[in-house]
């Protein structure tokens, strides 16, 4: 099973709302990632968790708050977002964090901020 | 520092014709290279990867790529494309726990 699942598939929120994105994998992977992808652009790395600890934060605004409750789950908490945060949010996982590890991507959550 | 260049942002090709999507990289360390495909409204799916060994790598859906160290290239090829190959294709280089993606090539297969 090489599946990464993400919920919800679509999300519309106002700028004052609080919402969360959820990502799950059952491959025993110890690294998980959040990416933001705008239309016709490559994914941009936001956060990396390695062994449930945040190892990389690519200068993401504090209105995005990641959480890794256990090795299978990754959440992204959203608060006071801006319209420019509208994008496809992708989760990925890999066995570890050595070079050459394949990242397996979920289908994404398409977020619209009004 | 690692970087990936995909020179062709859009590639139109007729059905059953061959196609090559170009990828060049720069890396100061060991090179691990990947090609991913993204169909509309979906996540990224691994097509193939080069870690070491044979420079010709075969992937899913009839795609293959050749690693050329002297030209720092990792071009993706398919001898005969199908309508279902219409998608966005991303080349990436891996370093530690980070991927460095190219800007993508939009492949459109024309009936």
């Amino acid at each position: 099973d090489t599946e990464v699942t993400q919920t919800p598939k679509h999300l519309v929120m106002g700028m004052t709302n609080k919402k969360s994105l959820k990502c799950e994998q059952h491959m025993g992977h110890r690294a998980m990632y959040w990416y933001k992808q705008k239309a016709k652009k490559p994914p941009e790395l936001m956060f990396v968790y390695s062994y449930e600890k945040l190892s990389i934060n690519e200068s993401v605004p504090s209105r995005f708050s990641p959480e890794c409750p256990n090795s299978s789950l990754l959440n992204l908490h959203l608060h006071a977002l801006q319209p420019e945060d509208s994008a496809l949010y992708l989760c990925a996982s890999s066995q570890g964090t050595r070079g050459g590890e394949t990242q397996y991507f979920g289908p994404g959550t398409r977020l619209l901020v009004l | 520092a690692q970087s990936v260049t995909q020179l062709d942002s859009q590639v139109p090709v007729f059905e059953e014709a061959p196609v090559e999507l170009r990828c060049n990289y720069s890396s100061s360390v060991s090179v691990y290279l990947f090609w991913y495909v993204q169909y509309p409204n979906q996540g990224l799916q691994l097509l193939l990867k080069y870690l070491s060994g044979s420079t010709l790598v075969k992937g899913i859906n009839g795609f293959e790529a050749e690693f050329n160290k002297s030209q720092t290239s990792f071009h993706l090829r398919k001898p005969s494309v199908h309508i279902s190959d219409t998608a966005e294709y991303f080349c990436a280089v891996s370093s530690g726990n980070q991927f460095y993606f190219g800007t993508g090539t939009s492949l459109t297969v024309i009936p």
Side-chain angles (χ1 to χ4, degrees):
Chain A
D1 181 10
T2 57
E3 189 178 25
V4 175
T5 59
Q6 290 187 244
T7 54
K9 282 188 169 31
H10 302 274
L11 179 62
V12 180
M13 60 187 291
M15 290 190 284
T16 57
N17 292 157
K18 283 185 182 182
K19 297 286 185 182
S20 296
L21 310 184
K22 180 179 172 182
C23 172
E24 196 164 3
Q25 56 87 13
H26 295 287
M27 296 178 276
H29 289 175
R30 303 315 301 263
M32 296 185 77
Y33 311 76
W34 280 116
Y35 288 88
K36 173 183 178 180
Q37 186 181 27
K38 291 282 208 179
K40 301 294 184 185
K41 298 289 186 184
E44 298 172 26
L45 183 65
M46 300 174 71
F47 303 103
V48 180
Y49 273 84
S50 178
Y51 291 84
E52 300 160 50
K53 290 191 181 344
L54 183 64
S55 62
I56 293 178
N57 176 342
E58 292 285 2
S59 303
V60 179
S62 59
R63 58 185 184 268
F64 295 91
S65 175
E67 179 197 19
C68 189
N70 60 57
S71 60
S72 300
L73 278 175
L74 186 66
N75 298 320
L76 186 63
H77 302 298
L78 314 173
H79 174 55
L81 295 193
Q82 304 296 309
E84 60 265 28
D85 297 321
S86 299
L88 182 67
Y89 287 84
L90 293 165
C91 174
S93 70
S94 63
Q95 184 72 34
T97 55
R98 294 173 301 153
E101 299 272 9
T102 298
Q103 290 190 19
Y104 295 89
F105 286 81
T109 294
R110 190 162 296 283
L111 173 67
L112 177 62
V113 181
L114 299 177
Chain B
Q2 289 75 33
S3 68
V4 176
T5 302
Q6 292 180 249
L7 288 172
D8 306 305
S9 60
Q10 296 186 49
V11 173
V13 62
F14 285 104
E15 192 175 14
E16 297 184 6
V19 70
E20 179 180 82
L21 305 185
R22 295 182 294 167
C23 173
N24 289 86
Y25 68 91
S26 65
S27 175
S28 57
V29 295
S30 297
V31 176
Y32 307 108
L33 293 157
F34 297 75
W35 274 101
Y36 281 86
V37 61
Q38 186 174 31
Y39 298 104
N41 299 313
Q42 293 189 28
L44 277 68
Q45 180 183 2
L46 178 69
L47 274 177
L48 48 79
K49 62 183 178 182
Y50 172 79
L51 301 182
S52 64
S54 173
T55 57
L56 183 62
V57 180
K58 292 191 184 298
I60 63 171
N61 301 341
F63 283 94
E64 63 180 33
E66 184 150 21
F67 171 63
N68 188 318
K69 188 174 181 178
S70 62
Q71 296 186 7
T72 60
S73 67
F74 190 54
H75 300 333
L76 182 70
R77 301 187 185 97
K78 185 169 182 178
S80 176
V81 296
H82 190 267
I83 295 289
S84 59
D85 293 322
T86 293
E88 192 80 15
Y89 291 79
F90 291 101
C91 181
V93 61
S94 164
S95 176
N97 59 3
Q98 292 206 53
F99 269 28
Y100 298 87
F101 286 96
T103 49
T105 297
S106 178
L107 174 65
T108 300
V109 180
I110 304 162

